[in-house]
Amino acid sequence: MERDSQETGFVVAQQPRSRGGNEEFTYMHVPARSSALSPVFRVLSLLALLSFAAVSSRAVIVRGTVTDPLGAAISGARVQLVQGKSVAGSALSGPDGSFEIRSTGSGRFLLLTAAATFTPGIGQSFYGGRTDVITRNVTLEIASVTAQITVTATGVPTPIQQASSAINLVPFSALQTRVGVVDDLRQSPGVVAVQTGQYGSVGSLFVRGGNSDANKVMIDGVTSEDIGGRFDFGTVSSTALDGFELYRGPNSVLYGSDAIASVVNFTTPRGATLRPVLNYSGDAGNFHTWRNEVTVGGAHSRLDYYGAFSRFDSSNALPLYRYHSSTSAANIGYNITANTTLRFTIRNAVSATGTPNAHDFYGVSADGKQSDQDLYSGATVENRYHRWHNLVRYGIARKREQLVLFQPSGELLMVPSFFGPYPDYFGNTVTIRGANGYTATGQASFLAGTTFPNGNDQSSLRDELYFQSDYTFSPHLIGLFGFRYEDERGSSNNPTFFSFDTTKRTNYQYTLQFQGDFFNRVFYSLGGAIERNNLYGTAGTPRFGIAWVPVRPSNQFLHGTKIRANAATGVQEPSLSSEFNSLYKQLADAGETDLITAYNVRPIQALRSRTFDVGVDQNILNQKLILKAGYFHNQFSHQLDFIDPGTLLNVFGIDITKTNLFGALLNTLAFRAQGFEGELQFAPTTHIMMRGGYTYMASLVEQSFSTDAAANGTSAENPNLPGVPIGSSYPLVGQRPFRRPPQTGFFAAQYTTTKFSAALKGAFASRSDDSTFLSFADTQGGNTLLLPNRNVDFGYAKLDAYGTYQASRRVSVFAELGNLLSQQHIGPIGYPALPFTFRTGLKVRVGGD
């Protein structure tokens, strides 16, 4: 555009210029040409404009908004588009936080964002082509606070400050020198991680009083627990983990069955460096422990890639307890377009461990072996079109477990019984001592009436298709629809007892959820799901959460208050063993349909939970001192209850001598758990970070057929402790559920510099209820080895120390000191923990940017 100025003798031309993504016009004064040259000048100007338009049409355009953790716009933030080591473009965010950057380059980029009083933000790398329009929103944290984004809570990336749920994020850095994840699971309030022994032994997670199989576990979005919720955290390696999220509370709305107490979401790292980077880590320690790990990753144009492999070996501290595991993983992503990504992930873990059993009960180790083969894989296509985001994922889980018990090394004795004496193997004479002061002395049976070798082979196979579509109606409202299809197959085979069971379940789930906010002060999420399970039928699971920020965060004293509340229900499908051992199935398999009709025995049903929690997050001192506190009340109903032979006879009138039933399962157990959670985070300097937490929980068994001693009189009794009722396999009505201590706590103190870092971590637990599980297991086939349940498990204080020194740019050395106090009662009664352990090694990095 131009106009002649006769008064000045100049031509004023307007040329477009890009600033922050908006075209502006700069007025340039040039000498006036003669009328003969004007047509030529006009042609040249037109060609220049067409050339600029052509260049603009081949530019990658990156748009987005810059907001604080509560969604308020940040104006004047400087956003830089970085490609490699150079800046490809930059912009300043406008009054509404929006920005736009154009670049004629193509390839991989990332965004660097800075604004006054905020911590600089470094985004994840992404691919952009010359004709792509890409949306990348930026959330900046207030200075001194680390940016934290949760996906598990709502299904879409959400700043944790906007989430109403209780969530802990364990970062990649926390797992750098670890072997597994059990110790880091303990670094969260409301959580009890129990490992029944040493390296490789079963690791269970109890969250806010829920059972150990009440947790939804995902790896890269793929459902990973066994059918029915059981998951062994003891064999999970820290290799190829980018951290994990621990969501405390039910979220069956998004994740369906098994998410009735918590959700644990593991993720695999993604390659980001333009040059390939190779990392090697090797270490060794006491108890013949050694570990090697190799990872490789990078990104090139449309492709990002990451792969890892590790091998860990240890003899542990008991005979016949050697453990080894190998883990391999890969994460490969490909940008079909800048807004459409195809991603493939796979994780394979193979392990084997000795099974010395509860060594303290026998004095000798049982000769056995357990092998696990776990494979998880997923293929995901993800697309974002303006405000509309769609995701389709196909995932598989292939889990197999083999347990073999060889000839015991104990003493062979003849045991008297109603049917006559029978041979059995017994350990040495030992004295079992509980934390409650009770003791029992004798020899314990390894496995009454069992021939050796004996074994069990179990498989849990799942194919899953998940579709999610979410739409951002406005910055304050997002709607999400989800559909999940599961094809589950399971089997359990025990040739010794001629037991061969299989099952097949086809499940569907439909989800609808809305989340948003009002005035960047009140944040809500409201959703519901309908689950159609092949085993138990149809179930609905609503959920509602709300968070209110009456005082926005700032650097002033006591500025930053969030009040949060949640109410939800959860649903869980029974496990394979629960289905195979249910009263209905056992009677049906025995052909006793008349008993099913006479006693109105129903097929096994879904396990349910109903929870409510409230809490407050308070910034105390300039975002350096933060307090989090909350109260929770959980009700678990329709849980599975073991009906022993006495109860079958006395309550149901079923004579086990006619049906060959030695016990069965019913949905007759109910218990509740309520308590207080507190967590304190303190960062006095940039080099020091401290955090600690405490949980008090009151739990109570409210209903149970088999352990209601007052109603049925079916509780066990140790003849040496007359008048003391004992729950031999399940807790009694009026007592606490097993292995859930009323008081737990944790702390972590970390010091970090550019060359050196050190950390001290601790986990604490009070005494808890449990059982020796030695009913009818003494040399006379009696109960003299049972102890009263109350406080039979010991409390403990487990302290671990870690240190890393950066010897050079490429090489670092590290050391890990475990169980500094060498406490032996960290696991349940009878299972000695590893004493003091140490590991030391080095890490080498080759390549990278």
Side-chain angles (χ1 to χ4, degrees), residues 260 570-574 605-609 637-640 667:
I260 73 171
V571 64
Q572 178 184 351
E573 65 174 347
Q605 300 295 301
L607 290 67
R608 302 301 300 257
S609 69
S637 61
H638 298 85
Q639 303 294 300
L640 293 173
N667 296 98

Side-chain angles (χ1 to χ4, degrees), residues 717-725:
E717 185 176 291
N718 185 333
N720 298 324
L721 301 170
V724 180

Side-chain angles (χ1 to χ4, degrees), residues 563-634:
I563 301 172
R564 47 187 169 81
N566 299 274
T569 62
V571 64
Q572 178 184 351
E573 65 174 347
S575 66
L576 294 177
S577 61
S578 300
E579 179 186 356
F580 299 150
N581 293 288
S582 68
L583 181 58
Y584 180 89
K585 188 175 190 305
Q586 291 195 73
L587 290 176
D589 291 345
E592 302 291 347
T593 56
D594 55 332
L595 293 177
I596 293 177
T597 303
Y599 296 101
N600 193 27
V601 180
R602 301 176 59 189
I604 201 164
Q605 300 295 301
L607 290 67
R608 302 301 300 257
S609 69
R610 184 178 69 253
T611 72
F612 170 75
D613 68 81
V614 294
V616 59
D617 299 348
Q618 178 64 58
N619 167 37
I620 299 175
L621 182 63
N622 193 27
Q623 292 292 322
K624 295 181 178 180
L625 181 62
I626 299 175
L627 171 67
K628 298 181 180 181
Y631 165 81
F632 61 87
H633 187 286
N634 297 343

Side-chain angles (χ1 to χ4, degrees), residues 192-207:
V192 179
V194 177
Q195 191 159 20
T196 53
Q198 303 175 12
Y199 286 132
S201 59
V202 175
S204 304
L205 185 67
F206 301 87
V207 179

Side-chain angles (χ1 to χ4, degrees), residues 331-362:
N331 186 344
I332 301 173
Y334 183 79
N335 284 90
I336 302 172
T337 69
N339 294 304
T340 303
T341 304
L342 174 63
R343 184 162 301 279
F344 172 77
T345 60
I346 187 170
R347 183 180 182 91
N348 185 56
V350 179
S351 64
T353 182
T355 56
N357 210 335
H359 188 273
D360 290 349
F361 295 166
Y362 301 92

